[in-house]
Amino acid sequence: MSIKEIQEEIIEEFAMFDDWMQKYDYLIELSKDIPLISEEYRLNQNLIKGCQSKVWLHSTAIDGKVIYTADSDAIITKGIAALLIRVLSEQKAKDILENEMYFIDAIGLKEHLSMTRSNGLVSMIKQMKFYALAFQAK
Amino acid sequence: MTDIVLNIRDQFPILHQKVHGHPLIYFDNAATSQKPLKVINAISEYYLQGNSNIHRGAHYLSNQATEKYEKSREAVRRLINAESTEEIILTKGTTESINLVASCLSQFLFQPGDEILISGLEHHANIVPWQIAVEQKGALIKVIPILDSGELDLVAFKNLLSPKTKLLALSHISNALGTINPVEEMIALAKEKGALVLIDGAQSAPHMLVDVQALDCDFFCFSAHKIYGPTGIGVLYGKKAQLEKMPPYQSGGEMIKEVTFKGTTFNDLPYKFEAGTPNIAGGIGLLAAIEFMEEVGIDHIARREAELLAYATKKLKELEGIQFVGEAKEKAAVISFLVDGIHPSDLGSVLDKLGIAVRTGHHCAQPIMDRFEIPGTVRASFAVYNTENEIDMFIEGIEKVKKMFG
Ligand SMILES: Cc1ncc(COP(=O)(O)O)c(C=O)c1O
């Protein structure tokens, strides 16, 4: 599926929920299935700066596609990270760089994107794109 | 709710709104307090009827504005019992006040090998300016350690004090943990060694009577926005003898007496430290905020906050898995805590959805979090307008979070 198609799919899933409680419960579920970063990459150097919670992110490129793994010590953040990975992992670097992550706003999690001093979701997306850029340059 | 609480809440329009469908519960008062109508009206009236530049008064509006602005300085003097208004410098806030002192003192006071003593409880605003000041002068920063209770280690403090100590920069109350430091005793000990003392009163000015003459500190700083006033204005109190020794901070209009291209003579205190057109509306808002505190009564504010703190502490203790961070005997209405197995940011996100505003994270005091080896805390901080009922809802909220993430 394309990045756009996956985003649309997620938006549809979230449309079933009437309130934030259900959304958060779903994020808690998603957090359990995150493509988990392997222990050897769970290092300080792979921490994303600017997050109030710790977020570790790792990437590799296989056959021209970028594969992401991550983890977080906060559950909601981990759930959102799982969604980002679902959208961006196993996509071509070029597509990762070209696509906007509009689903976060559309599913009503915009406040997690807000550019506050403590919230690093923006940094996480930036870092994912940065890895894609690095692979593309190689 | 008693009449007085209702009356006070009525003066804060912002409290009567819903957030995410729930009545707003504002427990982030240590970050900034809400503003009463008196303050909001004073500022809007100033812009509607009174706007004019001050201290250049050839006309009616300018004279009116100047008078009000200077009345604000007098109100500050009264609030903290300074000897004269010459000792009251109006700044942007605590941060600027500390920067002013650090920058001016570094120009003539600090020598290589000198020591500045700060505490492990400081806000970044009372750490970083000193780091920059000592770096320029080859002086050193020494840090008073924190005990497990969140109190300062006074034995270590006494050992750290020496004739090399040029300055003690200390918070009156910790914004992250609520610890009230025994500043009187500590100031006296520092003075014995001949050190100057700066007290960061950002968290004490809102909650208790402060008497700078009784404290005998050389400098005292606070921000209007934490004492029910507007943002962008704050106070530096300095003993006249110290302020007179210090060179100006910024330069330009207002702070000069005479300017020629050969040279300039500087204005008298306090104007020497107030370059440029000041935050006039802010000053007028600050005046209203102080009048508000005086009308409510600072002793009433302190009593109410102590009640709220005791109630919230008791209720939180009844829950399982609550870890308090900072349990000093003398504590302001700030509770920093963690819930076992739940990240502060998760707790904060869910409470927000329930209309409850708390702060999560390191509270601009990262060294404290490192000291306790935690990523951050959840902080609830109370003001005079908060209620026991709000605390009950907050406790319910935490129980809900525990179920969700349990
Ligand atoms: C203890 C303490 N010091 C300094 C500050 C900085 O105040 P401001 O940001 O108003 O300059 C704060 C505010 O958060 C504080 O709580």
Side-chain angles (χ1 to χ4, degrees), chain B residues 30-31 93-96 98 123 125 171 173 175 200 202-203 223 225-226:
Chain B
T94 310
T95 302
E96 191 183 39
I98 299 172
H123 186 281
S171 52
I173 296 180
N175 67 303
D200 171 354
Q203 294 296 336
S223 301
H225 71 90
K226 294 186 203 273

Side-chain angles (χ1 to χ4, degrees), chain B residues 49-220:
Chain B
Q49 306 283 350
N51 176 53
S52 191
N53 212 328
I54 59 171
H55 297 143
R56 16 206 116 164
H59 58 84
Y60 175 78
L61 283 182
S62 176
N63 287 334
Q64 292 284 320
T66 306
E67 207 173 287
K68 268 238 156 128
Y69 193 75
E70 290 305 321
K71 214 172 145 192
S72 175
R73 198 187 306 277
E74 166 55 25
V76 171
R77 188 208 61 73
R78 193 168 67 227
L79 181 73
I80 60 172
N81 193 34
E83 212 172 308
S84 100
T85 50
E86 288 174 310
E87 299 178 318
I88 306 297
I89 320 269
L90 295 174
T91 63
K92 279 196 304 198
T94 310
T95 302
E96 191 183 39
S97 299
I98 299 172
N99 272 280
L100 189 161
V101 176
S103 155
C104 293
L105 289 185
S106 80
Q107 289 181 46
F108 76 99
L109 183 69
F110 304 140
Q111 305 293 331
D114 280 351
E115 291 175 1
I116 294 178
L117 202 48
I118 65 174
S119 94
L121 285 173
E122 299 314 305
H123 186 281
H124 295 161
N126 203 21
I127 302 175
V128 187
W130 304 116
Q131 287 175 331
I132 292 170
V134 296
E135 197 180 317
Q136 289 164 352
K137 290 290 164 176
L140 292 170
I141 288 180
K142 294 276 161 112
V143 183
I144 309 163
I146 313 172
L147 301 170
D148 288 341
S149 61
E151 290 161 320
L152 291 177
D153 182 341
L154 294 181
V155 176
F157 166 62
K158 285 171 198 160
N159 291 331
L160 283 166
L161 273 175
S162 83
K164 282 195 253 170
T165 313
K166 279 285 154 68
L167 180 111
L168 168 66
L170 178 66
S171 52
H172 201 166
I173 296 180
S174 154
N175 67 303
L177 307 184
T179 312
I180 304 177
N181 291 319
V183 288
E184 258 170 81
E185 180 189 343
M186 295 176 76
I187 292 167
L189 287 165
K191 302 245 113 173
E192 270 174 30
K193 302 285 181 201
L196 294 177
V197 181
L198 175 139
I199 299 294
D200 171 354
Q203 294 296 336
S204 59
H207 309 296
M208 57 162 74
L209 276 169
V210 171
D211 182 334
V212 290
Q213 293 187 69
L215 286 176
D216 196 29
C217 53
D218 298 281
F219 304 100
F220 187 91

